[in-house]
Amino acid sequence: LTISAQSSVVRVGLMAAAEQGKDKPKPGKKSPIEGTWSTAKGDAKVSLTFAGNKFTLTKSKGDKSEDVTGTFKLDTKATPNAIDMTVTGGTSKETEKYKGKTSLGIVKVDGDKLEWCANEPGK
């Protein structure tokens, strides 16, 4: 598991903790990524929650934790599915430099597994 706000590419394999929807959501239905996805390696934990058009990324290690919040747009017509994630806030000072910037990425849902790859916001 490698997560770094400094890297130009962030890759996280996340195991699902949420029920999955269809590939193309209907009005009033969940999007295919809606829910909370999480992974852990040792005492490092990451969770990524999608609800409506908002996301929260939480990274924790031991007793330290930080959140990044924002909005997202999912394009299920693109192959692979494209996701634009705009940072609106967070709990660390480092997050401030990304506020208002968008990270372009791709996502793939395979059963109970979410594959997510995104660039550094603003790059």
Side-chain angles (χ1 to χ4, degrees):
L1 169 64
T2 302
I3 296 210
S4 171
Q6 300 299 322
S7 70
S8 60
V9 176
V10 179
R11 287 185 186 264
V12 183
L14 297 168
M15 298 308 292
E19 186 176 319
Q20 299 307 305
K22 298 283 184 196
D23 231 4
K24 188 174 180 182
K26 295 179 181 171
K29 298 285 183 179
K30 289 183 179 182
S31 77
I33 62 173
E34 182 121 6
T36 299
W37 305 81
S38 60
T39 190
K41 184 173 183 181
D43 65 344
K45 296 176 183 163
V46 176
S47 69
L48 182 56
T49 300
F50 295 100
N53 71 336
K54 299 184 186 306
F55 75 88
T56 301
L57 173 68
T58 303
K59 299 183 285 182
S60 61
K61 188 169 185 175
D63 60 352
K64 294 183 179 181
S65 178
E66 70 178 59
D67 292 329
V68 177
T69 58
T71 60
F72 74 94
K73 293 179 186 173
L74 180 66
D75 181 357
T76 58
K77 292 180 182 177
T79 303
N81 291 172
I83 188 167
D84 296 349
M85 300 170 75
T86 302
V87 177
T88 59
T91 58
S92 73
K93 289 182 181 180
E94 185 178 343
T95 305
E96 286 300 312
K97 70 181 179 181
Y98 297 116
K99 207 172 199 179
K101 295 182 180 176
T102 299
S103 174
L104 306 177
I106 56 175
V107 294
K108 177 183 174 188
V109 176
D110 184 14
D112 67 350
K113 184 177 179 184
L114 173 73
E115 295 177 314
W116 167 63
C117 180
N119 72 338
E120 181 179 342
K123 299 284 181 172

